[in-house]
Amino acid sequence: MATDALDGPVPEAAVPGQRVLDLLDKAIAVQSPLVRKNIARARQRNPEATPADVIRNLERMYISALTGTGAAVGATAAAPGVGTGVALALSAGEALSSLELSALFALSIAEVHGVRIDETERRRTIVMGIMLGGSGSATIGKVAERTGQHWGRQVVAKVPVQTLRQINGILGKNFVTKYGTKQGIIVLGRVAPFGIGAVIGGGANAALATLAVRAGRRAFGPPPTSWPD
């Protein structure tokens, strides 16, 4: 809880950026129990699919879902009779959906790689690290004093929780800056008239999803050659 010199204690939600981090924590909490169901869905068309096949399916599912969500909100916001206030409210709800989809994707990729994450701090590191892309992996390597590729495995296996808290403190600030700014631009674009919002919303979300997919590949490296016994 923060403190205001004139008015006394200020709730944490009032701290700039805290709402974004609260939404992220909510997304992680909601999606964590659904990871194995998500992987099963990616395997359902081919029970004999390899881990590499399933990861490719997870990537396609994530990009498609995130793109579709952004385009749908943009199209609705541009519909006749929808005011700017309603459009902004729809975009705010979509922001949480985007975080939930991203958390589910990151944690599902980790699970396929055999990296099971039982602690909240480690989940936060994995999700923020992947969503932040290259800057996230650089921060993790620097603070954890670890070098080499595939930081996703090192975070779970070797980094103490106290160090993770330090990492997440830095990642959180970067996440608020990067995600908050991008989301603000996307939200304003979605309320553009004549259907332009659908193009902006879908295209921007597709770009964010593609960056997260690349970051996931860097975080964990090549897929396992087979499923664990």
Side-chain angles (χ1 to χ4, degrees):
M1 180 170 291
T3 300
D4 186 283
L6 296 178
D7 301 322
V10 177
E12 286 188 6
V15 177
Q18 185 61 44
R19 175 166 171 72
V20 175
L21 296 177
D22 288 344
L23 287 175
L24 176 66
D25 279 347
K26 181 178 180 181
I28 292 173
V30 168
Q31 298 304 318
S32 293
L34 303 178
V35 167
R36 293 191 179 183
K37 289 184 179 180
N38 193 42
I39 293 171
R41 182 183 169 208
R43 293 183 70 177
Q44 66 183 1
R45 291 187 180 180
N46 180 14
E48 302 301 319
T50 65
D53 294 332
V54 170
I55 287 176
R56 281 192 294 270
N57 285 342
L58 289 170
E59 291 172 347
R60 284 195 290 265
M61 287 161 53
Y62 172 56
I63 293 173
S64 176
L66 204 61
T67 303
T69 300
V73 171
T76 303
V82 176
T84 301
V86 174
L88 291 174
L90 287 170
S91 291
E94 193 271 332
L96 176 58
S97 298
S98 297
L99 287 175
E100 290 179 346
L101 287 169
S102 298
L104 182 61
F105 168 72
L107 297 175
S108 297
I109 294 297
E111 180 81 11
V112 173
H113 278 275
V115 180
R116 295 184 179 177
I117 311 165
D118 298 323
E119 296 172 327
T120 300
E121 289 294 341
R122 297 188 194 279
R123 292 189 191 120
R124 288 189 187 117
T125 306
I126 292 293
V127 173
M128 285 194 290
I130 287 178
M131 291 190 71
L132 287 171
S135 64
S137 59
T139 296
I140 293 166
K142 183 177 180 179
V143 179
E145 298 181 347
R146 308 254 174 207
T147 57
Q149 296 179 322
H150 318 325
W151 59 264
R153 296 179 179 276
Q154 298 182 33
V155 162
V156 174
K158 301 176 182 178
V159 179
V161 173
Q162 186 60 38
T163 303
L164 286 175
R165 291 194 181 100
Q166 297 176 23
I167 292 172
N168 288 344
I170 299 172
L171 290 179
K173 293 177 183 177
N174 295 340
F175 186 82
V176 167
T177 300
K178 184 174 182 178
Y179 186 84
T181 300
K182 284 189 174 182
Q183 198 64 32
I185 294 171
I186 295 169
V187 166
L188 291 176
R190 288 189 187 122
V191 302
F194 309 119
I196 297 173
V199 176
I200 294 174
N205 276 14
L208 291 173
T210 300
L211 290 174
V213 164
R214 292 174 183 168
R217 293 173 182 172
R218 289 194 301 267
F220 294 103
T225 55
S226 61
W227 297 100
D229 294 334

